Amino acid sequence: MKLLRPDGCESSVSILSTLLLLTVGVSPVVAQNKGQTLSEAEAKKDADYAVQGEYIGREDSGDADSKIGIQVVAQGAGKFIGVVYPGGLPGAGWTGEEKIPVTGVRKGDVVEFKGGKDGSKGSGTWKKGQIVYKDGDGNPGTAKKAVRSSVTMGAKAPKGAIVLFDGSTAKNFKGGRLENGLLREGVTSFRNFGDFHLHMEFQLNYSPSRRGQGRSNSGVYMQGRYEVQILDSFGLAGKHNECGGVYEIKDPDLNMCLPPLQWQTYDIDFIAARYDKAGKKTANARLTVRHNGVLVHKNIEVPRSTRASPVREGVDLGPIYIQNHGNPLHFRNIWLVEKREAGFKPVFDGKTLAGWHKNPEKIGHGTGGSWTVENGVIAGEQDPPGSGNGGILLTDKTYGDFELLIDMKPDWGVCSGLFVRSNNLGQCFQMMVDYHDNGNVGHIYGEGTGGFNTRTFDIFGKYNDKKELVALTTKPTATAPPKAFTISGNDWVSAWKVGDWNTARLRVVGSPPRITTWINGRKVNEFNGTTFPGKGYDKAGITKLLGAEGRVAVQVHGGTGWPKGAKCRWRNVYVRELN
């Protein structure tokens, strides 16, 4: 049979149809979880398990152009299907030419295969770990079993990555279940994300008697919205609803699914959908997917959320969701590198305070406080330390509708804040950074605008024998604010990193504004300036006072509560204006 090699030249290739001869015992039914097992020891009790897998071979003549790849799929009760790939296995030499289907039935200790519908494509024998075959033209060849591993298998999380699962705990996932150091399906990350690179490793179960969507069905959903399917589609066609497919959107360019119980990898680059200030989508989400290290989708558009997605499309960040479809799977080594979305521009150059100024006249907190740049960080403290003289540091530029990213690391005991729509007097909407007992970080407060408050809990420190802060806890506020979205105290504690940098994100849209806050990807609070009925909030008065735009500012609180020598610290300040 004439085929085109990758270089375009013609070659004669032997096409397999195999007869497998295997010395094994009887084939018990795999009984775990209704014919599904994640245990290799259990699977090995089934004679068919040893037959399935991948093989690489060539003609006995040694013709380099006669290389083939074979995938043999166990179907239960001694039945098999298979595929022959001219040139080698998918992702490892297959020329893309016509695949040859094979079928097989075990008779005692022998498995007989035939190629094509009528056996005209050849026959062969498997014995002692290799296949001795003849193609349809009678050309003999030999193939040996191969066990492939992804080139990204075991990839270590780079510096700055967010490790979602390393085998030690499932605490980063809602519904997280550990099983022998592995994560089970049916989990949702507590943390939410925008653009990112995701690495994950997964293991399909062995379920030879099942078919189609009943074989290791799961999926990983970017932002809980866009599914890359997980399925035992080893040896199948490679459709949108099979492994590597974007469900109901696009088939993978190549079916790179490996046999059940072999560990596999996904490496996914995700760009979230974009929205204008009114919440209208302006650009679809995009995906680049590598399955077992091989590119199967390159920067494709995903025009909508996929079926069964738990999160609707919208401006909010979203979680990593791993679906439970009633089939057991294992997962490991899950980490993610966040990418700053396009359009965010630096507001702080990391070296100077160019583009910033202190409050130009004395305000209630003082004459401005002390602000310096230390190793790429804006550091603020009272001036002089412990004097009670504080103030604010503001951007020279004003912003209307925008999103803000900023890292913060306040010393314990300081009362600080992140101001938006601020004027030079510090009148604003403040995201509280009151990092002390009976404080709060992440909710909205009306600074100089009536003192309205959206906090639902207060934070308190836990200390060691040396009175050093080691952890945090929360208690409900004495007077709860009007009902709106807010994170629970327990979830806030799990999101905040004591003694480390924490990233805040704010979205400010409209006049009066709707303000959403996140900390480390966890949504903390939503404030709706149009409907908020809280005490001290004068919608008309504040809207007139602050208008539709203002400055971003950070605060050193005045007074005696600020510990002497303590500082608030800020870095990586970026703004994306929404037009």
Side-chain angles (χ1 to χ4, degrees):
M1 179 178 182
K2 296 290 186 179
L3 297 173
L4 286 179
R5 294 184 349 213
D7 60 7
C9 298
E10 289 189 341
S11 64
S12 180
V13 177
S14 297
I15 302 302
L16 168 76
S17 168
T18 38
L19 170 69
L20 295 177
L21 174 59
L22 180 63
T23 303
V24 291
V26 296
S27 178
V29 175
V30 178
Q32 181 180 341
N33 201 347
K34 296 182 179 180
Q36 307 173 91
T37 183
L38 283 165
S39 165
E40 188 168 13
E42 183 72 19
K44 284 181 176 179
K45 296 177 183 179
D46 180 7
D48 294 352
Y49 179 70
V51 177
Q52 75 158 16
E54 295 188 311
Y55 300 80
I56 299 173
R58 66 177 71 250
E59 287 182 6
D60 293 345
S61 65
D63 182 358
D65 294 330
S66 67
K67 184 178 178 181
I68 57 170
I70 311 163
Q71 292 182 334
V72 177
V73 184
Q75 297 282 282
K79 297 180 180 180
F80 300 86
I81 60 173
V83 184
V84 179
Y85 299 89
L89 293 166
W94 178 39
T95 61
E97 296 296 317
E98 180 184 4
K99 298 179 288 186
I100 307 299
V102 300
T103 57
V105 178
R106 180 166 34 80
K107 298 178 180 179
D109 291 340
V110 176
V111 180
E112 297 179 347
F113 278 75
K114 61 182 180 180
K117 294 181 179 180
D118 56 1
S120 63
K121 299 296 183 179
S123 62
T125 301
W126 189 97
K127 187 176 183 179
K128 294 182 179 180
Q130 65 182 17
I131 299 169
V132 177
Y133 64 88
K134 289 184 179 181
D135 68 10
D137 297 325
N139 299 311
T142 303
K144 295 182 179 180
K145 198 165 190 178
V147 179
R148 293 193 287 172
S149 180
S150 169
V151 295
T152 66
M153 188 68 68
K156 294 183 178 180
K159 183 179 180 180
I162 297 164
V163 178
L164 292 176
F165 182 72
D166 63 4
S168 63
T169 177
K171 70 178 183 180
N172 293 321
F173 289 95
K174 182 179 180 180
R177 295 177 292 155
L178 275 179
E179 187 173 274
N180 300 320
L182 302 171
L183 184 70
R184 287 291 302 268
E185 73 286 346
V187 298
T188 303
S189 67
F190 284 114
R191 187 162 181 160
N192 298 291
F193 304 98
D195 296 358
F196 55 80
H197 170 81
L198 172 70
H199 174 86
M200 67 183 301
E201 299 173 12
F202 60 95
Q203 183 187 46
L204 306 172
N205 73 65
Y206 180 61
S207 49
S209 62
R210 288 175 170 250
R211 300 290 181 269
Q213 297 295 302
R215 289 173 73 117
S216 290
N217 194 337
S218 181
V220 56
Y221 290 71
M222 312 311 118
Q223 292 191 321
R225 297 175 172 123
Y226 314 101
E227 180 186 13
V228 178
Q229 173 80 328
I230 295 174
L231 190 82
D232 176 11
S233 52
F234 172 62
L236 301 185
K239 297 298 184 181
H240 67 86
N241 60 350
E242 296 176 359
C243 214
V246 179
Y247 198 77
E248 294 184 334
I249 302 293
K250 183 180 177 297
D251 298 345
D253 293 340
L254 194 65
N255 180 6
M256 280 305 303
C257 190
L258 296 177
L261 298 186
Q262 283 187 223
W263 282 96
Q264 309 194 44
T265 62
Y266 274 156
D267 291 275
I268 300 172
D269 290 292
F270 174 73
I271 299 175
R274 300 296 194 246
Y275 296 85
D276 63 16
K277 64 183 181 181
K280 181 180 179 181
K281 187 164 69 169
T282 58
N284 289 323
R286 288 185 172 272
L287 281 169
T288 294
V289 181
R290 287 174 172 82
H291 184 188
N292 291 320
V294 176
L295 186 67
V296 295
H297 298 289
K298 184 178 181 180
N299 195 30
I300 66 166
E301 280 196 65
V302 187
R304 56 176 174 80
S305 57
T306 52
R307 195 204 302 186
S309 57
V311 181
R312 295 180 61 185
E313 277 199 309
V315 300
D316 276 356
L317 308 178
I320 300 299
Y321 166 63
I322 300 174
Q323 183 186 50
N324 182 350
H325 207 282
N327 303 142
L329 291 93
H330 280 152
F331 299 85
R332 70 183 186 190
N333 194 21
I334 306 173
W335 50 263
L336 182 151
V337 177
E338 291 185 291
K339 297 180 179 181
R340 191 178 304 115
E341 296 107 303
F344 276 100
K345 297 181 179 179
V347 179
F348 168 52
D349 64 15
K351 299 177 181 179
T352 70
L353 293 177
W356 297 75
H357 64 271
K358 295 197 292 187
N359 46 284
E361 58 183 272
K362 186 175 181 180
I363 59 175
H365 291 291
T367 59
S370 172
W371 299 93
T372 58
V373 177
E374 303 172 354
N375 299 317
V377 173
I378 297 174
E381 61 180 325
Q382 291 186 342
D383 184 23
S387 66
N389 181 43
I392 54 177
L393 182 71
L394 307 101
T395 58
D396 294 343
K397 183 176 180 177
T398 60
Y399 300 94
D401 299 330
F402 66 96
E403 292 178 316
L404 169 70
L405 292 172
I406 187 169
D407 293 344
M408 54 186 173
K409 189 180 182 183
D411 288 334
W412 179 247
V414 308
C415 188
S416 183
L418 179 59
F419 293 10
V420 295
R421 294 276 174 89
S422 180
N423 58 26
N424 277 323
L425 296 176
Q427 296 167 306
C428 68
F429 298 92
Q430 177 191 167
M431 188 194 86
M432 291 177 280
V433 187
D434 298 354
Y435 196 52
H436 53 74
D437 284 328
N438 207 39
N440 182 276
V441 181
H443 287 82
I444 301 300
Y445 172 74
E447 176 75 21
T449 54
F452 63 89
N453 202 315
T454 68
R455 69 202 286 175
T456 57
F457 56 81
D458 304 319
I459 63 174
F460 295 87
K462 292 183 178 181
Y463 307 90
N464 60 18
D465 293 341
K466 297 179 181 180
K467 296 184 179 180
E468 297 169 329
L469 180 71
V470 294
L472 294 170
T473 187
T474 65
K475 296 179 182 179
T477 55
T479 303
K483 187 175 181 180
F485 177 85
T486 179
I487 195 172
S488 71
N490 286 339
D491 285 349
W492 184 91
V493 168
S494 70
W496 183 263
K497 296 180 288 187
V498 173
D500 203 349
W501 287 95
N502 292 271
T503 300
R505 181 177 182 132
L506 287 80
R507 181 180 172 91
V508 182
V509 175
S511 181
R514 186 184 186 102
I515 303 173
T516 307
T517 65
W518 293 265
I519 293 177
N520 295 330
R522 301 284 292 275
K523 189 175 179 180
V524 174
N525 188 215
E526 278 187 351
F527 167 79
N528 189 331
T530 300
T531 61
F532 184 74
K535 182 179 179 181
Y537 180 64
D538 176 5
K539 179 174 69 173
I542 294 174
T543 301
K544 182 178 180 180
L545 175 68
L546 300 182
E549 63 179 43
R551 307 178 195 277
V552 173
V554 288
Q555 177 198 48
V556 168
H557 203 286
T560 59
W562 190 283
K564 185 176 181 178
K567 297 180 179 181
C568 59
R569 296 174 182 84
W570 313 84
R571 70 178 186 186
N572 296 333
V573 190
Y574 292 85
V575 169
R576 176 167 65 182
E577 296 184 81
L578 303 173
N579 299 318

